[in-house]
Amino acid sequence: MTDLASLPGLGPKSARWLNESGIHSLAQLQAIGAIRAYAMVSAQRPVSLNLLYALVGALEGRRWQDVAKQDRASLIMALDGYQQLTQMAKEDD
């Protein structure tokens, strides 16, 4: 099992937040994906979009700053879409 804090762009604080959200390994992070992992963490505490960029960077082996520059708009749209879908699912229950 890979320590999440050892992934590029993630540190002890990010790893702790992921662990507190139920994500304990790289395999779990890969299965969940960056968008859902970010949503899980942000549901528990206020976090900046830099965490989303760091999660994408960690999964893709890229610097979070590069992710922020190159993929900011598409990630924000994907996050918005995910949040809308989860809100709709809650309303249907």
Side-chain angles (χ1 to χ4, degrees), residues 79-93:
L79 177 61
D80 185 52
Y82 176 82
Q83 290 170 332
Q84 287 180 19
L85 287 173
T86 57
Q87 183 60 38
M88 288 171 43
K90 287 178 186 176
E91 291 170 3
D92 287 343
D93 286 340

Side-chain angles (χ1 to χ4, degrees), residues 3 6 19 23 25 29-30 32-33 35 39-41 51 53 58 66 71-72 74-75 81-82 86 88-89 93:
D3 178 26
S6 69
N19 289 169
I23 304 166
S25 68
L29 181 57
Q30 289 169 326
I32 290 169
I35 298 287
M40 290 169 68
V41 172
L51 177 62
Y53 308 141
D66 294 337
D71 302 323
R72 178 186 313 253
S74 63
L75 287 170
Y82 176 82
T86 57
M88 288 171 43
D93 286 340

